[in-house]
Amino acid sequence: ASANSAISAVVCFSVFAVATRIIIAQQNRFVKRFFAFFQNFFGESEKLRNFAEKPHFLFWRSAKIREEMMRHLHNWREYGIITPEIRGGTNTMEHYLDNAATTKPCAEAAEAVVRCMTEQYGNPSSLHRKGLEAQHVMEHARQQIAAALGCKAQELLFTSGATESTNLALRGAAAAHGRKRKKIITSAVEHASVRQTLAQLEQQGFTVVAVAPDADGRYHAEDFLREVDGNTCLVSMMLVNNENGYRMPVEETFRGVKRKDPEILTHCDAVQGFLKVPFRTRSLNADLISLSGHKVHALKGAGALYLRQGVRIRPILFGGHQEKSLRPGTESVPLIAAFGAAAEKLSRTVQERYEKAAQLRASLIAQLRTMEGVLIRDIPDASPYVLSISMPGYRSEIILHYLEQREIY
């Protein structure tokens, strides 16, 4: 009987898919009556929603079919077959919780973009007035970000994002200092931009040591320092893990590395920590720091690399003389200006927002603990901006689709 039900569900879904395409093409009365018939077949819209959300149905196991199903659900709602109540009403407030992936640009960032696109649109390398205006905007943004990071403006290089910053840091450092030293030390939980870049360096003859956490999922500085030897040229470690918010022992580790051998370069992926977790450049003991604009309410397409004064790396791209010839190519002034504007705004309230986020996180954890079947991975001293939870027995994509219908992202 269950097999027959599953087959019927697949057949019904196929009919729905065909009918939906006809609606988009013709939008005639017959097709609307056709949909109304199937609405009666399944019952009220609440039953239809429950039908679509049950993970054990055969058709739901296919990601392609599932995505098409969700698209049809929106089409059905548009034609009045599913009522607005399926999403909690037409006036449901949006709740955006995916800030570790990207953030909504702040008003100051948006204004900076529009101003640069409509008024200060010159090429910053041009010598005429429009070019000089654009260059002044860019250098002002460099000063804004440097002030937020706690470094000199001349120690910042603009890039297209943190992935490029990390590539330039790791590959540039390896090219400049890896002729005699061939060992790179990192953690086993780094962002893909670090892992994949180091994998490429491994193919070029470097030895990459990825330190694993202990049984409790924690890292200790001595675990990294134990691997440091005379063949080490670089140590790379993220500041805050983007999956669970765990704050890595960057300060202690890098301090120990420099004491052991000042010639070893240190790189920190600070994307999830910059303007969220209070820190200053000097306290990190980092020679290189990767930053991203769209993680701090600026726009996608702008990032920066902190390069400590006196540290030498080699370029990985070649062309013009922009950014000290280390990152050639015409700079995107609008995106850079937005990055600067957002950094200046957020830098004033880092501690205040940190404490507020900690309160919200604690409140969320307290409420989640009243629910059965929710596993909370609460890590002491983690960034309050990231919380990892799971619900055993439920596929994550099912939960995501369920929440997005209620304007929770």
Side-chain angles (χ1 to χ4, degrees):
S2 60
N4 291 333
S5 298
I7 294 172
S8 299
V10 174
V11 172
C12 290
F13 169 75
S14 300
V15 175
F16 272 117
V18 172
T20 301
R21 293 189 179 95
I22 297 174
I23 271 192
I24 295 173
Q26 300 180 10
Q27 301 182 7
N28 55 42
R29 294 180 180 178
F30 169 77
V31 177
K32 291 183 181 180
R33 291 197 299 270
F34 185 80
F35 269 88
F37 166 78
F38 277 98
Q39 182 187 15
N40 293 329
F41 176 79
F42 281 111
E44 300 301 322
S45 59
E46 183 69 16
K47 294 181 180 179
L48 182 59
R49 185 195 69 184
N50 292 335
F51 169 80
E53 290 173 352
K54 287 183 178 178
H56 58 264
F57 275 101
L58 187 64
F59 67 85
W60 200 262
R61 295 176 184 171
S62 167
K64 183 177 180 181
I65 294 177
R66 183 177 64 253
E67 290 171 3
E68 189 169 1
M69 180 72 170
M70 295 307 299
R71 186 165 59 252
H72 295 327
L73 281 174
H74 290 298
N75 289 335
W76 298 340
R77 178 177 180 271
E78 180 181 351
Y79 284 93
I81 294 171
I82 296 180
T83 62
E85 284 73 23
I86 191 172
R87 298 177 65 181
T90 56
N91 295 321
T92 301
M93 180 183 295
E94 176 184 297
H95 299 278
Y96 185 76
L97 305 177
D98 201 19
N99 289 285
T102 194
T103 57
K104 179 180 179 180
C106 63
E108 290 80 357
E111 291 170 4
V113 168
V114 173
R115 184 171 60 252
C116 288
M117 293 177 66
T118 58
E119 300 175 17
Q120 300 155 331
Y121 49 81
N123 186 323
S125 296
S126 297
L127 298 179
H128 50 66
R129 180 166 57 85
K130 278 295 180 184
L132 293 176
E133 287 178 356
Q135 183 181 6
H136 289 157
V137 169
M138 188 174 67
E139 294 308 319
H140 178 60
R142 199 188 308 272
Q143 292 172 0
Q144 290 173 310
I145 300 169
L149 186 61
C151 68
K152 300 175 182 177
Q154 59 265 34
E155 293 177 309
L156 280 181
L157 303 174
F158 286 122
T159 66
S160 63
T163 292
E164 184 187 350
S165 297
T166 296
N167 270 262
L168 177 56
L170 300 181
R171 293 167 60 192
H177 302 272
R179 192 169 67 175
K180 295 182 179 180
R181 300 186 177 203
K182 293 289 185 179
K183 186 176 183 179
I184 302 173
I185 302 170
T186 187
S187 80
V189 297
E190 296 296 312
H191 187 269
S193 61
V194 172
R195 296 198 312 270
Q196 295 302 321
T197 302
L198 294 182
Q200 291 297 315
L201 290 174
E202 229 176 355
Q203 294 181 9
Q204 298 174 23
F206 286 86
T207 299
V208 177
V209 177
V211 178
D214 64 16
D216 296 324
R218 292 176 171 275
Y219 275 97
H220 307 279
E222 53 265 27
D223 298 331
F224 295 90
L225 297 177
R226 194 178 300 117
E227 298 291 342
V228 174
D229 56 27
N231 192 40
T232 305
C233 65
L234 177 65
V235 178
S236 179
M237 186 189 302
M238 62 175 20
L239 182 61
V240 174
N241 186 269
N242 54 296
E243 297 288 343
N244 57 21
Y246 180 68
R247 183 162 180 174
M248 301 287 285
V250 175
E251 295 93 334
E252 187 181 355
T253 302
F254 286 3
R255 183 168 58 249
V257 169
K258 290 298 184 180
R259 286 177 179 173
K260 205 166 185 178
D261 188 344
E263 297 300 316
I264 299 175
L265 295 186
T266 52
H267 166 255
C268 179
D269 169 8
V271 169
Q272 295 296 340
F274 180 51
L275 296 174
K276 297 179 180 180
V277 175
F279 75 90
R280 303 296 283 181
T281 303
R282 186 170 297 179
S283 67
L284 289 185
N285 296 289
D287 298 308
L288 302 144
I289 302 176
S290 299
L291 305 175
S292 172
H294 76 98
K295 301 298 176 70
V296 292
H297 299 279
L299 278 75
K300 302 167 187 67
L305 175 66
Y306 163 77
L307 176 64
R308 184 173 62 82
Q309 191 172 6
V311 172
R312 181 174 58 88
I313 62 174
R314 291 184 180 175
I316 60 175
L317 298 174
F318 301 91
H321 298 289
Q322 294 90 346
E323 300 302 292
K324 303 178 182 178
S325 296
L326 288 172
R327 203 284 183 178
T330 302
E331 300 92 342
S332 179
V333 178
L335 300 183
I336 290 172
F339 193 1
E344 182 177 60
K345 177 183 180 179
L346 295 183
S347 63
R348 307 188 192 105
T349 58
V350 174
Q351 186 63 40
E352 177 186 341
R353 289 183 292 104
Y354 183 89
E355 294 172 359
K356 179 64 175 178
Q359 294 174 1
L360 292 173
R361 186 176 188 270
S363 175
L364 176 59
I365 291 175
Q367 295 181 61
L368 288 172
R369 282 178 175 158
T370 65
M371 301 173 60
E372 294 184 4
V374 178
L375 180 61
I376 305 171
R377 292 175 170 82
D378 184 18
I379 302 174
D381 302 322
S383 166
Y385 289 93
V386 183
L387 177 62
S388 176
I389 65 173
S390 61
M391 283 160 270
Y394 294 87
R395 295 175 62 179
S396 58
E397 59 266 33
I398 301 296
I399 298 172
L400 287 176
H401 288 311
Y402 180 84
L403 292 174
E404 75 175 8
Q405 293 179 49
R406 290 150 181 81
E407 299 291 343
I408 302 173
Y409 304 98

